[in-house]
Amino acid sequence: RAGQIPDSIRIINLAGEPLKQSLVENLYHQAAVEHVYDLYGPSEDTTYSTWTRREVAGQANIGRPLHNTQSYLLDADLQPVPTGVAAELHLAGAGITRGYLGQAAMTAEKYIPNPFSTNGERLYRTGDLTRYRADGVIEYAGRIDHQVKIRGFRIELGEVEARLLALGDIREAVVLAQEVCGSLQLVAYAT
């Protein structure tokens, strides 16, 4: 919005937060921009874990694993989930760090034995809720710790936010579970 992208820039790599489709659209409207890449990865996997080239009029996604990175979408029993089912993203490979310095309990919780490896490799539990699309691309759906239960239904706040953002006229959205008149309800804030 500030017009600070030099005309010489052809490729833009973005990481750090979920990349909203509206930002992708704005970047491609810069005359010189030819490619916008979304680079996903927690610090615990060194720098980046997955990548994707985002498209005009495309769908938000975090793509596929980088070389030497393996991604697993696993349920609570560490079983792979089918396409379209949301599950926690687990990562393995050359970039996985050893753990948290001086925090053995947290390391044991987040770095677990890899059930798909025979060489003692570990998986890193990202806490990110993701799903595979039919084409094998990974979509980010929010955080597993943003799940709420209202009237017996589990609700992922990140998924509701994503649906609001898909409406087109909404630039930013935050959904919370708040007590209203004595019962827990979803409340959305949008710009």
Side-chain angles (χ1 to χ4, degrees):
R1 286 184 276 192
Q4 298 298 309
I5 300 173
D7 290 337
S8 60
I9 300 299
R10 301 281 185 266
I11 298 172
I12 296 178
N13 297 321
L14 293 170
E17 293 295 325
L19 181 54
K20 294 180 169 97
Q21 186 61 32
S22 60
L23 177 56
V24 172
E25 303 289 337
N26 289 338
L27 291 171
Y28 276 119
H29 284 101
Q30 305 287 326
V33 174
E34 297 172 4
H35 305 282
V36 176
Y37 290 98
D38 190 346
L39 307 171
Y40 162 89
S43 299
E44 293 85 352
D45 192 12
T46 318
T47 311
Y48 307 119
S49 308
T50 68
W51 72 278
T52 188
R53 182 181 188 275
R54 295 287 297 274
E55 304 291 339
V56 173
Q59 289 183 318
N61 70 88
I62 60 172
R64 299 175 190 276
L66 292 169
H67 182 68
N68 287 332
T69 299
Q70 295 83 47
S71 62
Y72 303 93
L73 279 62
L74 305 176
D75 65 17
D77 297 319
L78 299 180
Q79 295 300 308
V81 298
T83 298
V85 174
E88 183 177 6
L89 176 62
H90 294 68
L91 298 170
I96 298 296
T97 60
R98 293 181 183 152
Y100 302 107
L101 183 62
Q103 297 183 12
M106 188 174 180
T107 296
E109 176 188 345
K110 291 291 197 173
Y111 293 82
I112 60 174
N114 184 344
F116 310 104
S117 172
T118 58
N119 65 2
E121 186 178 60
R122 295 180 302 159
L123 288 178
Y124 172 68
R125 302 180 68 160
T126 67
D128 288 329
L129 187 66
T130 57
R131 70 172 58 81
Y132 283 119
R133 293 190 328 205
D135 61 2
V137 168
I138 302 169
E139 289 182 330
Y140 176 81
R143 294 282 304 162
I144 62 169
D145 51 5
H146 288 163
Q147 185 180 81
V148 296
K149 201 171 199 179
I150 298 178
R151 292 186 287 284
F153 293 97
R154 289 185 186 169
I155 300 168
E156 295 293 337
L157 299 179
E159 288 189 22
V160 178
E161 291 171 358
R163 296 288 183 220
L164 289 171
L165 293 170
L167 295 175
D169 294 324
I170 295 177
R171 188 173 63 232
E172 297 174 297
V174 174
V175 177
L176 303 171
Q178 293 184 334
E179 194 160 320
V180 178
C181 299
S183 68
L184 202 57
Q185 297 182 15
L186 292 182
V187 177
Y189 298 90
T191 56

